[in-house]
Amino acid sequence: RGIVLRCLKYGETSVIASVFTELFGIQSYMVNGVRTSGKTSKAHLFQPSSLLDMQVYHNELKNLQRIKEVKWSIVYKNVLSDVIKNAVALYMVELLQKCLKQPETNPDLFHFCEDALLQLDASDADITANFPIYFALQLAQFFGFTLQDNYSEKRRVFSISEGSFVDGTSLAPDHLSVATSSLISQLLKAIHPNELDQIKLNRNTRKEILQSIQSYYEWHIPDFGSMKTLPVLSAILND
C-alpha cells in the first residue's frame, strides 16, 4: 500500500513516482507505459495523495524501484475532484514529503496519513478549512518535535521556536498574539478531525497559523524550505 507524494513525467510514456509505502517508507518508482492514450492509461492513478495497492520489485541497493501491478486501494469520493479538498491534500503530501528524508519503514505514520486523507475525503466544509492545521500539528509528533499544549493563565503566548506556550513577558519576534495562541491551544486539544468544526478561524488567522507552523517545521527539519502549496491553500480556504 502506498500514498503518492509526487509524480514526474519521464520520457514519452513513463513517470517517476515518489510514494510513501507502508512496508518500505518513501520510495521512488519508475512506471513504464502509463502515459498512453485511451482506456488503458494508468497515469490517473499517480495523482498526488492517491492511495494505491501495488505489487513491486524491491531492491534495497537501488534508489529507483519498479512497479509490477498497481490499482487504487481506495477510490476517493471528493479529494481528487473537489478544488478545496484537493488543495488541502496537496499541502498534506508536500509537508509529508519534506519530512521524509530516508526510506525507513514507519507503519504508524503511514496509517495516520492514510486515515487523515480518508477523514478529509469525508469532511464537511468547516472541518476541511481547519484540516491542514490539524494535520500539521499531529504530524510533528511522528518526527520527534511534538508541539506542547502547556497553555495556562501564565503561559498564554505561543513560541514558534520552542513549540510551547510561554509567559509572554518578552516581545520575541517568534511569539504569537494571545488571541492566536489561544486558538492554537484549542487546535492542539482536537483529538479527532470531527472536533475541528467547533474551532472558528477566519481566513487571516488561519493563514497566520499555517505560516507559523511552516516556521516551526523549518526550525526542526534541515533544508525544509518554503511550502509551495501554502499560498494556494491560504487563498482558497474560506472564512
Side-chain angles (χ1 to χ4, degrees):
R1 287 157 60 195
I3 301 169
V4 179
L5 303 182
R6 185 171 63 173
C7 185
L8 301 174
K9 294 179 181 179
Y10 184 82
E12 293 295 322
T13 62
S14 302
V15 299
I16 296 176
S18 176
V19 183
F20 179 42
T21 71
E22 181 182 24
L23 295 181
F24 307 116
I26 187 170
Q27 297 287 332
S28 294
Y29 292 98
M30 170 72 77
V31 195
N32 295 320
V34 293
R35 290 169 45 231
T36 56
S37 59
K39 296 181 179 180
T40 59
S41 174
K42 291 189 175 182
H44 62 284
L45 295 174
F46 295 94
Q47 299 175 73
S49 78
S50 290
L51 303 176
L52 303 180
D53 257 339
M54 304 179 293
Q55 293 182 32
V56 304
Y57 302 103
H58 185 75
N59 186 333
E60 293 184 358
L61 301 179
K62 293 185 177 181
N63 293 324
L64 194 59
Q65 311 292 342
R66 289 189 176 273
I67 295 177
K68 180 182 179 182
E69 298 288 343
V70 60
K71 62 181 181 179
W72 272 323
S73 64
I74 299 171
V75 179
Y76 291 124
K77 294 180 179 179
N78 303 296
V79 164
L80 298 180
S81 57
D82 182 278
V83 172
I84 295 177
K85 288 190 176 185
N86 188 242
V88 174
L90 293 178
Y91 169 86
M92 291 165 64
V93 296
E94 183 189 8
L95 181 60
L96 180 59
Q97 184 171 34
K98 283 180 171 292
C99 294
L100 292 170
K101 299 296 186 180
Q102 301 294 332
E104 298 174 352
T105 302
N106 193 332
D108 289 341
L109 175 58
F110 177 86
H111 297 149
F112 164 74
C113 294
E114 182 183 52
D115 182 67
L117 287 164
L118 294 175
Q119 293 289 343
L120 171 66
D121 192 46
S123 66
D124 61 25
D126 289 339
I127 292 174
T128 298
N130 288 338
F131 208 98
I133 298 175
Y134 167 83
F135 179 79
L137 294 177
Q138 296 290 324
L139 184 67
Q141 65 182 313
F142 290 93
F143 296 97
F145 49 92
T146 303
L147 290 86
Q148 301 298 317
D149 183 22
N150 59 331
Y151 181 89
S152 68
E153 282 299 318
K154 292 184 178 180
R155 297 189 177 97
R156 297 193 299 159
V157 172
F158 188 76
S159 168
I160 296 171
S161 59
E162 296 184 29
S164 61
F165 296 89
V166 297
D167 60 17
T169 54
S170 68
L171 298 175
D174 72 319
H175 287 183
L176 302 184
S177 68
V178 171
T180 302
S181 298
S182 175
L183 290 169
I184 289 179
S185 178
Q186 294 178 48
L187 288 159
L188 285 169
K189 287 181 172 64
I191 298 174
H192 191 276
N194 287 343
E195 302 171 43
L196 295 175
D197 59 356
Q198 304 299 316
I199 305 171
K200 305 302 180 182
L201 307 178
N202 61 39
R203 184 191 301 264
N204 291 333
T205 302
R206 193 176 288 114
K207 180 179 179 180
E208 179 189 2
I209 293 175
L210 284 169
Q211 289 176 333
S212 299
I213 291 173
Q214 174 177 283
S215 298
Y216 180 67
Y217 273 79
E218 288 173 354
W219 276 91
H220 295 278
I221 302 291
D223 304 317
F224 184 84
S226 59
M227 298 276 295
K228 294 180 180 179
T229 54
L230 186 53
V232 176
L233 190 63
S234 299
I236 69 171
L237 289 179
N238 298 325
D239 289 343

